Amino acid sequence: MMNSTENGQQNPESNVARSADGQENDRQILRALEVIHEPRSSNPVRRDASSYLDQVRSQDDAPYRGYFFSIDKSHPSIVRHFGLSLLEYAIRHRWSDYTREQSAALQDWAVKLAQSVSEQDPLFIRNKIAQLWVEIAKRSWALEWMDMDELLVQIWGGSIVLKELVLVILETLSDDSFGREEIMSSLRGTELNRACVEIFTPAHVLTENFPARDTSVNVRYGDEGWLMRISDFLSWTTNHSQANNDLNSCTVTTLTALRSVLGWAILGALTSTHCVQRICEAVLNPNERVQLAAIETLLVLYNRHRYSDDDVRNLVRPMFESATVEAFKKVYERSLVDVTDVDPDKYLLSKKFSEVVHNIGRFLDERPLLFAEHTDIAPFLDLLMTILHHQSLHVTIPIVHLWAKLLCSEHIGDTPPLMTHIAALLEVCSQRLLRYDALPSDSRMPSIIFLNEDVDTMPERHAFLGNYARFCNQIVQSIVAKQPFDALHYILSQADQVLDNLYQDEAVFNVRTYNKTTAPSLRLDAQFSVVEAALKGYVKWLNQHKSAQIESQQVSMNVDLQEWCTRLMGRSFEDPAVKQRIIQLMIEFGIGPLKHNSGFTLKVFNFTIETRAAAHPDATAYNESIKDLQVFCVHQLQRLAIRFANDLITKYEYVEQKIAEFCDACGLDETDRNRCSSILFIIVQRAVGLNDAQREEHLQRFLQPIVQKWQNEQLTNYLSTFQGFRDLLGLTDLQQYLISRKVNEIYEWAQQPLDAEGRELQSRIQNASDQLPLRSTRTFLSVGISTGSRDDFYAKVDGTKSSLEGLASSVRASLRTVRETSYRLLLSMSALGKEIYMYDNFAESLAKALFSESCALSAHQNLMLIDTIYPVIVHCPSIRRSQFVAPMLAAMFTQLDQKVSTEWASIEERKVAAASAEEGLTEEMRDESVLRQLTYTSVMMVVQLMDPNKNHDTEGGNHTTTQPRLEGAAVDASLRTFILETPEVLKPLILFCTHALGMHDTRSCGFITRVLRSIIPEFNGSTSLDADVREFISTEVFKQCITSLHDPYFVDTQSDLASLIASILLQYGERTATPRQVLLSLPDMTADKVDHALLQLMRPQISQKQQRAVVLKFLENLRGVSISEQGRISKVVPKNARSALQEQYMTVDMEPHAKKEPSPELGGVAAMFG
């Protein structure tokens, strides 16, 4: 331990005259540091030196030595930094072991180090000293250390460098107290938050807002508070930076400190300290770093919620003043970049600027009455349109999003300033509804170049483009809903212009060079998307306006719409993709505003079924597009049949004749003919004009041939044995053929051509599966489902059809088709009612067939199995859960646990082997990606089953509708309750959850911790099941939590794991000694330490955040730490890190008008002050 003077204070100067041993130790430390930083040192020598320095920091005199090294500026910077790291280790890891006098000595050293900072000190030394100050403050400020604020004010009165040091201290203290979940800050609860509010807020603001607050403990110095000091200093640096460019860096530091505070500071204090005015002055600074820092600071401020009316008047409305808007517009224009030479700093400024404008503009939607009379919003809307014309989708998406909100606003949406921009908005949306994902990634279109700069992964790209298109659609819908007739005529005239000039300046259409995604087809698709959005807006308007005058206008408009459609259907195009897009649009007219016009319905039906294209030899891509057109036509005809069965039943014989002609003309195979027949099936099934006898007569005509196929005695014999099934699929001779050709000695099957026998065998296998009536059965049970289009994978398969690999592909395809069609057939049957669930012993046989060998399937096949079979399980009526759900779920989780656990173990082994052999991990990465998806899907299935806020109760086999549980509603029949009360299901489920805690997938681990936390309270009773589950959780789950906490991979999930550990200790700690015994078995763990942690956890009114902090602090020596936390590198937030809003734009299920959760603001300030 540290040695102290008689009065208990450490005298640092006494260590200058060090003993011979001490001096020798110092020399060894210096030599070790030299070795580590010497580029020519070998790795073994460098490791030995690092190990020695790690031992030094654990020695009792390490703090002395740390201060000795760091205070002496004659030492090299690396030595001083090492000295500071020794002090940091002592504070962070040994603080609780020190006496009050020893802690005071460390505090005194930190103050002296801060006071000694000069301009000659490297920045990393200054930042490290600031970190030491904050680490001590988190432990003793407002407890023993009461004059910290006074000391900071004294240092603030020094040089610019000292001011910057204070700013870094304040920023770090604010971030650790409010901005992130930091262990020591969490343990202090609201004490640090309250103290921060005290020293930052001007005294008069505190008095006005909290007149009854407790002032018995005074931690502040002076009345102005740090917000005022920082604001004034920002004003000074901004005004003087043009004459002294070095001040720009200081201005950035000031803005960064202010940014850390604006997320929680009392908004009234920002008004009284003129913070926003000073930040806006910094925005106008010509230095790009200063501009970006200022914009990011405004972003934090205007991203906050809980603005009072006065706050909006004082902090938001001034941003709409014409002078402010004009100045901001100039800043934006200076940030524009050349797409051929993107300046990353300027481009980032454009994106951040756009987001700030969005956050300011949202107040027009959320608090419109405060702007109605006193604010001219026209200049602000002009600024929105200026930004909207940027070629980057990332820059413009916040603005598109904002326009979508404003146009939907009840108070703002119809105002003249908005209406003046309608034509421009329609033009922009027409351009931006282009299918960018259909363009090649190397396109030279500016929007694609910017998109490649902003998005790394295809899922994010698809989600982002989907959100962008949705906002554009909403804008068009809102405009048409406000001005339906003028807007619709304008949009249709624009579509006519596109159609008239579709192939202008384009090469003559050539089937041999055909490409589905040509510029004309994409332009047409974008314009038609605008028309479709307009139709939805028009229908919305119709639904909201009902009167005689409106009806007459509607009749006139509908006539115009029908005439326009007739002209469009009369146009002739060679491109199958264009034909397909026209059909799609006509269907939208038919099921939209013209849905009551039976004549138009029949016209669209005829147009769809008569649209064809002739195949051409040597035009593969064109012919494939024709096939896609045929499939698409059938699907659209099914949509018509579903919507207009009553109209089409009156023309049934005509429809039947047209379908027969279509099948013959297109040369459809049996599968596609069945799909066409399903159109008639739908009409008969849904038409209300038929009586039951007529309906049954018609339906029997469709179903009887399928029933006869299943009742065929030969088919029954084939399916009764494995040998028969193998014969049915044409696989009988496969093994002998492969052996005779010695395929095990052939490395590259794709290069080995098939001989005549092989080609004959392949043909038999490809045709044999048609003997099974699976597809036709499923077609009539799930009509309306499209098979979709072919992708690039099949193009690759085509190239190897005549090779040995082609034969193998045929075998795999045959088995896969049977398996996957059977899955979907089960799903379709489960949706028809409860009958499938009523057969005795059916579930056991089905579970065995589905899951007994599922581990042998690939991860991708298991993924498909879960996706299709899980709904079958959930559809089960409550009364049959014991007979059906129990054996199915038990088998599923048993096999799933084995499959996923085994695959993760294999992945980790292959990673190690590949890394040691210095090989690429491409294959492993692909396999891991599929496995990660399987893991996540499995975990989400558990979440759906076990979410306590979901009600899965179903009767009669109807589709499950997931709803929030109603207060007081009986939930005894819920699926969650059934699982919790059924040991044969619960045990494999919890075992899977336990193993999932250790699988290297952060999302899955996080979700599983929440599921287990919801389960834990359910087993606090005294039944044998309660005891068994409680002991399993207290041992296996508890151990796995600690193991994962120790794994550096789970650094970002440690809060979730700590919450689960805390839940186990709190819920079960008094009922079983097992968790305590597990803790005592850990290395270097004592009973006193365990009991002390348990007492802290069981304190009354302890928050979940504090519970997590107690666990993480208690297990500090066991938990994995990131490299930055180890102190080896600084944790730096990337310059282009996405904001929360930008992350939402990358999310598939983003809701544009969803209420955001309140930001982590002060929130309960009043409660904190009593």
Side-chain angles (χ1 to χ4, degrees), residues 899-920:
K899 175 66 178 180
V900 178
S901 298
T902 303
E903 289 292 325
W904 273 114
S906 174
I907 286 287
E908 295 303 322
E909 290 175 3
R910 289 163 63 190
K911 276 185 179 180
V912 172
S916 62
E918 298 184 354
E919 296 176 353

Side-chain angles (χ1 to χ4, degrees), residues 132-375:
L132 290 183
W133 185 297
V134 173
E135 290 298 332
I136 294 175
K138 289 186 296 189
R139 289 159 175 81
S140 65
W141 180 40
L143 294 174
E144 295 89 17
W145 193 7
M146 303 303 296
D147 64 342
M148 187 192 80
D149 196 39
E150 181 179 358
L151 291 169
L152 287 174
V153 173
Q154 291 173 0
I155 298 174
W156 181 259
S159 65
I160 294 292
V161 171
L162 287 173
K163 282 184 169 63
E164 288 182 320
L165 176 71
V166 173
L167 289 170
V168 174
I169 290 173
L170 294 172
E171 175 199 348
T172 309
L173 184 59
S174 170
D175 283 341
D176 284 358
S177 300
F178 289 95
R180 51 177 171 256
E181 190 163 315
E182 200 275 336
I183 296 175
M184 285 308 305
S185 300
S186 300
L187 288 174
R188 292 288 301 277
T190 61
E191 291 175 348
L192 284 178
N193 304 66
R194 184 164 54 243
C196 284
V197 174
E198 279 279 1
I199 67 171
F200 275 94
T201 311
H204 73 275
V205 176
L206 282 176
T207 302
E208 292 169 4
N209 285 271
F210 309 106
R213 80 185 196 280
D214 183 8
T215 58
S216 59
V217 179
N218 184 25
V219 295
R220 69 179 296 134
Y221 181 78
D223 291 337
E224 64 266 54
W226 283 107
L227 274 175
M228 179 64 79
R229 297 185 189 104
I230 296 173
S231 179
D232 290 344
F233 185 60
L234 175 60
S235 179
W236 184 86
T237 59
T238 302
N239 291 331
H240 290 79
S241 60
Q242 293 185 7
N244 182 358
N245 192 51
D246 292 339
L247 282 178
N248 283 325
S249 178
C250 186
T251 305
V252 171
T253 303
T254 308
L255 287 164
T256 304
L258 195 56
R259 181 169 70 243
S260 72
V261 179
L262 293 192
W264 55 263
I266 298 171
L267 290 173
L270 304 183
T271 301
S272 66
T273 56
H274 312 292
C275 279
V276 176
Q277 177 184 339
R278 271 67 185 273
I279 298 170
C280 289
E281 292 171 357
V283 171
L284 303 181
N285 187 307
N287 183 278
E288 291 174 7
R289 289 183 60 234
V290 173
Q291 287 180 343
L292 182 59
I295 288 295
E296 289 178 331
T297 305
L298 289 176
L299 193 57
V300 171
L301 173 62
Y302 292 115
N303 198 40
R304 286 181 60 168
H305 299 264
R306 298 176 180 166
Y307 276 71
S308 68
D309 288 353
D310 285 340
D311 294 331
V312 175
R313 293 187 186 97
N314 296 327
L315 298 175
V316 181
R317 271 202 333 213
M319 303 301 290
F320 288 84
E321 294 175 359
S322 57
T324 304
V325 173
E326 185 61 30
F328 270 48
K329 183 178 180 181
K330 291 179 181 178
V331 173
Y332 166 74
E333 289 172 345
R334 288 200 300 268
S335 74
L336 297 178
V337 297
D338 183 356
V339 70
T340 61
D341 184 21
V342 177
D343 182 325
D345 292 332
K346 279 189 173 184
Y347 183 46
L348 179 61
L349 180 60
S350 292
K351 290 189 286 188
K352 296 286 186 180
F353 185 91
S354 173
E355 195 169 343
V356 167
V357 172
H358 167 274
N359 285 352
I360 294 172
R362 70 182 173 87
F363 287 93
L364 289 173
D365 172 50
E366 297 171 4
R367 313 290 279 279
L369 298 180
L370 296 177
F371 296 86
E373 298 178 1
H374 306 286
T375 306

Side-chain angles (χ1 to χ4, degrees), residues 419-469:
M419 293 296 100
T420 59
H421 296 291
I422 279 183
L425 285 170
L426 287 175
E427 182 180 356
V428 171
C429 289
S430 299
Q431 298 167 355
R432 300 286 168 80
L433 279 170
L434 188 71
R435 285 196 298 116
Y436 294 98
D437 54 349
L439 294 171
S441 59
D442 59 353
S443 169
R444 303 315 299 166
M445 178 183 287
S447 295
I448 295 296
I449 296 174
F450 281 121
L451 190 63
N452 293 337
E453 182 84 13
D454 294 316
V455 185
D456 297 325
T457 67
M458 290 306 296
E460 286 183 338
R461 190 186 187 99
H462 290 317
F464 173 83
L465 292 174
N467 285 320
Y468 200 104

Side-chain angles (χ1 to χ4, degrees), residues 578-593:
V578 173
K579 293 174 182 283
Q580 181 173 317
R581 193 64 183 86
I582 293 174
I583 290 172
Q584 182 180 344
L585 181 61
M586 293 301 96
I587 296 293
E588 294 302 322
F589 272 94
I591 65 178

Side-chain angles (χ1 to χ4, degrees), residues 681-913:
F681 184 91
I682 293 170
I683 295 172
V684 171
Q685 182 188 41
R686 293 175 178 264
V688 296
L690 296 178
N691 58 42
D692 291 344
Q694 292 173 317
R695 193 186 315 279
E696 184 173 348
E697 179 184 354
H698 279 292
L699 294 179
Q700 284 296 333
R701 290 170 51 192
F702 298 113
L703 299 179
Q704 196 57 41
I706 299 174
V707 173
Q708 290 175 353
K709 288 184 179 180
W710 281 111
Q711 291 177 338
N712 182 278
E713 184 176 354
Q714 185 179 10
L715 178 62
T716 303
N717 293 334
Y718 274 131
L719 296 178
S720 61
T721 65
F722 177 74
Q723 177 64 43
F725 180 68
R726 192 175 66 174
D727 294 342
L728 180 65
L729 296 183
L731 302 176
T732 306
D733 301 327
L734 176 64
Q735 184 178 17
Q736 183 58 41
Y737 175 81
L738 295 177
I739 294 173
S740 66
R741 299 317 189 264
K742 299 180 180 180
V743 296
N744 58 308
E745 299 176 5
I746 301 174
Y747 178 74
E748 186 55 67
W749 287 17
Q751 304 300 321
Q752 181 67 32
L754 285 176
D755 54 20
E757 185 179 348
R759 291 194 295 272
E760 182 184 354
L761 176 61
Q762 182 183 39
S763 177
R764 286 204 307 270
I765 294 172
Q766 290 173 337
N767 297 325
S769 61
D770 291 339
Q771 299 180 58
L772 272 173
L774 285 171
R775 287 179 175 173
S776 56
T777 306
R778 178 175 171 265
T779 297
F780 286 101
L781 290 181
S782 55
V783 287
I785 301 175
S786 172
T787 58
S789 60
R790 297 160 181 83
D791 55 22
D792 293 339
F793 170 76
Y794 293 105
K796 296 178 182 178
V797 172
D798 286 342
T800 60
K801 278 184 177 179
S802 59
S803 68
L804 192 57
E805 174 59 32
L807 174 60
S809 179
S810 298
V811 174
R812 292 191 297 266
S814 176
L815 296 173
R816 185 171 60 247
T817 298
V818 172
R819 183 168 57 245
E820 293 177 4
T821 307
S822 299
Y823 291 165
R824 294 190 175 94
L825 184 56
L826 280 169
L827 177 59
S828 299
M829 293 171 67
S830 73
L832 294 178
K834 64 182 180 181
E835 283 72 16
I836 189 177
Y837 300 100
M838 306 308 291
Y839 296 105
D840 292 335
N841 302 320
F842 173 60
E844 289 79 0
S845 300
L846 182 60
K848 181 179 180 181
L850 290 171
F851 303 116
S852 63
E853 303 294 337
S854 62
C855 284
L857 299 176
S858 67
H860 181 268
Q861 287 295 314
N862 271 274
L863 187 61
M864 179 166 289
L865 174 61
I866 294 171
D867 282 340
T868 51
I869 297 303
Y870 170 71
V872 177
I873 297 172
V874 177
H875 289 167
C876 178
S878 303
I879 58 173
R880 294 293 295 178
R881 282 178 178 159
S882 296
Q883 294 79 13
F884 188 87
V885 172
M888 289 287 285
L889 283 182
M892 176 183 282
F893 281 115
T894 299
Q895 294 301 315
L896 200 56
D897 180 36
Q898 180 181 346
K899 175 66 178 180
V900 178
S901 298
T902 303
E903 289 292 325
W904 273 114
S906 174
I907 286 287
E908 295 303 322
E909 290 175 3
R910 289 163 63 190
K911 276 185 179 180
V912 172

Side-chain angles (χ1 to χ4, degrees), residues 870-871 873-876 878 881 944 947 949-966 973-975:
Y870 170 71
I873 297 172
V874 177
H875 289 167
C876 178
S878 303
R881 282 178 178 159
Q944 289 296 318
D947 187 344
N949 296 318
K950 303 289 185 183
N951 185 355
H952 300 272
D953 190 26
T954 57
E955 294 295 342
N958 295 326
H959 285 270
T960 303
T961 53
T962 305
Q963 299 174 338
R965 179 184 296 178
L966 301 176
S974 76
L975 196 49

